[in-house]
Amino acid sequence: MQHAYHKYQRVTTLGLCLEQVSRDPVVILERMMEQSFCHMHGPEHHIMVGAALLTAYKNAGGAIELQPALAAQVSAQISNVLEKGVRLQEQTMNEPSI
C-alpha cells in the first residue's frame, strides 16, 4: 500500500508542476508543500526541489519539454535514494555488534 501512496505523491507532484504558471521556484515549491501528502520528513522532498526548478525554468521560457524532463528527474532521484538506502543497509549489516 505504501508503494501505491508514494506513486500517488509523485504523480500529484508532477501534475501540480504541469499546472503552474509561476517562474519562481520558491512559489512552486511552496504550492507543492501545501498539499496534504507532503510531510516534513517524507520522501517526496527528494523530487520536489528539482521539479520546482525545472518548472520555473520552463515557465521562464526555457527550451525544455517539461513532462519528460520531470519524469527523468524523478526517476534519477528515486534511483539515487534507493541506492543510498541499500548502501546504508549494507554498512549497518557489516558493523560489528557490541
Side-chain angles (χ1 to χ4, degrees), residues 13 17 51-52 55 72-73 79 95:
T13 299
C17 288
T55 302
Q73 190 269 337
S79 294
E95 289 180 358

Side-chain angles (χ1 to χ4, degrees), residues 42-88:
E44 56 273 13
H45 289 94
H46 293 283
I47 64 169
M48 294 172 78
V49 172
L53 289 169
L54 285 169
T55 302
Y57 175 72
K58 170 66 175 173
N59 293 344
I64 61 169
E65 290 189 38
L66 187 56
Q67 191 166 2
L70 289 170
Q73 190 269 337
V74 167
S75 179
Q77 278 295 345
I78 290 170
S79 294
N80 188 25
V81 169
L82 292 175
E83 184 179 310
K84 287 179 181 178
V86 168
R87 268 194 255 134
L88 181 62

